[in-house]
Amino acid sequence: MAALERKQEKKMITKQEALEQFFQAWTPSPLIEEVSLKDAAGRVLAQDLYSRVTLPMYRVSAMDGIAVKSKAFEDGDPDTSSWKPGVDYERADTGDDFPDCYDAIIMIEKVKLMEDGSVKLELPLPFPVKPGTMTRPAGSMIREGDLLLKQGSWIRPTDLAALAVGNYPAVPVVKKPVVALIPTGSELIPPGERVKRGDNIDTNSAMVSAQLEAMGAETIVFPIVRDEKEKLKEALDQALKQADLVIINGGSSKGGEDFNVHLLKEQGRVICHQVAAVPGRPVSLALIQDKPVINVPGPTLAAYFVTDWCLGALVSRWLGSVRKERRKITGVLAAPMDKGGPVQILHRLNVVEREDGTAEIYPIPMRQSSTAALLSSDAQYVTGLFEPAHQAGEMLEVELVE
Amino acid sequence: MAALERKQEKKMITKQEALEQFFQAWTPSPLIEEVSLKDAAGRVLAQDLYSRVTLPMYRVSAMDGIAVKSKAFEDGDPDTSSWKPGVDYERADTGDDFPDCYDAIIMIEKVKLMEDGSVKLELPLPFPVKPGTMTRPAGSMIREGDLLLKQGSWIRPTDLAALAVGNYPAVPVVKKPVVALIPTGSELIPPGERVKRGDNIDTNSAMVSAQLEAMGAETIVFPIVRDEKEKLKEALDQALKQADLVIINGGSSKGGEDFNVHLLKEQGRVICHQVAAVPGRPVSLALIQDKPVINVPGPTLAAYFVTDWCLGALVSRWLGSVRKERRKITGVLAAPMDKGGPVQILHRLNVVEREDGTAEIYPIPMRQSSTAALLSSDAQYVTGLFEPAHQAGEMLEVELVE
């Protein structure tokens, strides 16, 4: 086994190397589309956008209050008992423009508006009333030509407000890549059917599809394809017509029915096969008709992990954006973690938050645990190649799974 | 001003107190709906779900390989030169069931399948071949009755796989609360129109709507309502018919046109008004026809902050879920931050990551900065009441804005 493993390892490249090799061979061809602001959250901006306006166009009130003539305050607080609205003052709330004969604002809390239109001020005023007091200058929200948001940014809710301030009702975003997902396996049945001996439920279509959508892709899920080469070829042809990237899920390893990699070789170019990352080592990255076709292994956690590192990188590359990071948490390792070997390993973990705010991290044993327990874990950690072992009691920073 | 502020502060309650008072008065009435797995990501599970099946139903192969009879290996490695498929062995890949006459698996890497149907083994084998070698027991994915996911959980992609393993094609989730958003202000125009002096662009409808959708709500955005009480009442009546929660955005402070809080008092019960959190202090939380009606202040950052802390809490309460936390980052404060006073203050910050992996945190001065600059910031920090000042050089943990 040791000899065999060594032989295999020689061929194996890291995730990073696999992606670098693939990116040398593949050039994404994203399109741009215009979407209204209400549909732009979570999309990737396709070009730098600059403000089309200066706002406010003219100085405005900085508070709810009354606009007054500062000249009247030059020699101390004036007698306001005969003031008239529209002559000596005018109401102006936060952000309001007001006539040019006024040049200062007194906050409403210091003002009593009398029935006869006159005014009582609560003296002393907190600020001397001078030209510009309690006003905001033109351009205090935005100036024409100011950068609003950079190309490649994920558009956040607050960015929508910034784009609105710049007077954009719609913005150019990168069109989502369409990923076709072809689940394969004669033993697979969709969830919800009566399960017979030998059946395996398709756990991956819903999961991988949701992973891809969270990455910013659109998905088309094909019906389950049985392990027959002709059927798979038909589905692949169809997928290549409809999608920008294709996932063939299952049939990726060395089993007798695992002819998928052969099909990829026949139809296009396999850039790499076998990556030093477990679970999911037998992944193949191919190009067919200049489109990525990824053979993602079938076991649920393998499909999860390969979709995460491999498709995640491909979709980001397509979108021209930096991938959103996971939340991290640092906690005390409650059990030791083996030293890393020649492959990187995905460890699934549970996190228990203590009352004092610290966290305990429990590795979930891969072999002894049910698939369901591994799937529902709180957190994960991927060991580096030949990373030293971690002892119980050690502090470790891990990724939260969301 | 100091005296006035003290007077105001007496009436002011904290965000937490406001929410507690409101939750005593308001009982959410969420409904449950069934959605297919493909639509369940990002939704909140409405009840604990347990597996309906045991998977695999019977022991399966743990590797790609051949199923053999362990008895043949009792006295050492057997002569396999006359083995026949279907008699002495059978192909069995990872997860495959195989006939009951076999009870162990030999990995395919150690096996050469000959043209005449016989087998050559690469000796020595890494493990002794005994009953159960390289097989996985029934139930190793999931056992009937195992808890799959708890009520109130946000459904993640990996949870979809766990729910599929438990044989659920669809799951009960909490129906999204419908939030109606009524933008108000005679000076408001939608983005994209020609801006005239005195106009203000509606920055909030797209932003608040996106914030609410990220919280798990559905939104209906009303057209802009001018500052006329009758028009606002009409919109409010309409909103109360269509929605579970209503936001009136703007007209919340003490300005002359700010009659919104009076309308709320006429139509229902104002639970609290004025909260010790800036920007957005003049927020009102009311109940009309047993539905929350929140008067969210108009200035963009105030609308953002109130939507975040107040609507965020209401929507979570409705969904029966714990709110998703933001990513945090700890960095060195590059400039001092004033000590906290009698109100909590939202500080917007820029984060610069240094080459050595550490981060510098730059507070963005509220008064001197454009609204656009405050909106596009990377991070934020909310000071506690009377929190001590922070010095430049101090380490501070802040929330990343996403």
Side-chain angles (χ1 to χ4, degrees), chain B residues 39-332:
Chain B
D39 298 320
R43 302 296 297 269
V44 173
L45 193 66
Q47 61 182 71
D48 293 352
L49 287 186
Y50 299 89
S51 179
R52 293 168 166 170
V53 292
T54 292
L55 271 185
M57 281 185 73
Y58 205 71
R59 58 88 192 96
V60 292
S61 172
M63 311 205 69
D64 294 342
I66 57 172
V68 299
K69 300 167 178 175
S70 65
K71 221 171 174 4
F73 291 78
E74 259 180 356
D75 305 319
D77 295 320
D79 174 10
T80 57
S81 65
S82 59
W83 272 21
K84 288 194 180 354
V87 177
D88 301 291
Y89 76 95
E90 200 153 302
R91 287 281 296 113
D93 288 334
T94 311
D96 283 355
D97 192 10
F98 49 85
D100 290 342
C101 59
Y102 309 111
D103 63 352
I105 299 290
I106 298 174
M107 65 200 294
I108 197 71
E109 288 84 351
K110 291 294 189 178
V111 173
K112 197 162 178 193
L113 299 172
M114 310 307 287
E115 294 224 333
D116 63 357
S118 73
V119 160
K120 262 194 187 165
L121 298 179
E122 187 184 312
L123 298 176
L125 295 175
F127 304 108
V129 180
K130 292 185 173 171
T133 293
M134 292 291 177
T135 66
R136 259 188 237 140
S140 53
M141 292 190 81
I142 191 76
R143 291 184 172 280
E144 193 174 335
D146 280 358
L147 178 67
L148 297 171
L149 199 62
K150 273 189 178 305
Q151 178 181 349
S153 303
W154 289 98
I155 301 175
R156 306 165 301 175
T158 45
D159 295 324
L160 295 178
L163 294 165
V165 167
N167 212 22
Y168 288 88
V171 291
V173 298
V174 182
K175 207 164 175 313
K176 295 180 179 191
V178 176
V179 184
L181 172 62
I182 307 175
T184 75
S186 298
E187 77 291 359
L188 280 191
I189 57 169
E193 300 200 353
R194 209 175 72 78
V195 182
K196 299 180 305 299
R197 178 171 167 181
D199 286 346
N200 202 352
I201 295 177
D202 172 19
T203 54
N204 298 357
S205 292
M207 174 183 69
V208 171
S209 181
Q211 286 181 270
L212 290 163
E213 281 167 20
M215 292 165 184
E218 207 176 293
T219 59
I220 303 174
V221 178
F222 275 57
I224 294 165
V225 175
R226 295 178 58 82
D227 291 320
E228 293 167 31
K229 194 168 167 185
E230 269 316 301
K231 293 242 166 95
L232 179 60
K233 176 151 182 341
E234 270 171 41
L236 176 59
D237 289 344
Q238 189 57 38
L240 287 165
K241 275 183 204 140
Q242 293 179 262
D244 301 307
L245 297 87
V246 178
I247 294 175
I248 297 174
N249 189 209
S252 58
S253 62
K254 293 173 184 257
E257 297 149 351
D258 297 341
F259 44 75
N260 294 355
V261 80
H262 304 295
L263 181 68
L264 300 188
K265 276 181 192 156
E266 270 171 39
Q267 301 293 316
R269 185 152 64 104
V270 175
I271 308 293
C272 39
H273 178 54
Q274 297 276 337
V275 172
V278 164
R281 169 167 31 189
V283 59
S284 299
L285 287 73
L287 275 175
I288 303 178
Q289 299 168 25
D290 292 328
K291 292 180 178 181
V293 178
I294 313 300
N295 187 196
V296 171
T300 315
L301 271 172
Y304 164 75
F305 190 35
V306 171
T307 301
D308 189 48
W309 69 259
C310 179
L311 275 298
L314 268 57
V315 169
S316 289
R317 185 81 165 194
W318 179 280
L319 292 171
S321 65
V322 175
R323 184 142 175 228
K324 285 178 264 183
E325 280 179 41
R326 292 205 168 84
R327 277 201 300 142
K328 288 183 180 137
I329 191 169
T330 300
V332 179

Side-chain angles (χ1 to χ4, degrees), chain A residues 64 91 97 100 167 197 253 256, chain B residues 64 91 97 192 197 253 256:
Chain A
D64 294 342
R91 289 278 296 113
D97 192 7
D100 291 341
N167 212 20
R197 178 172 167 181
S253 62
Chain B
D64 294 342
R91 287 281 296 113
D97 192 10
R197 178 171 167 181
S253 62

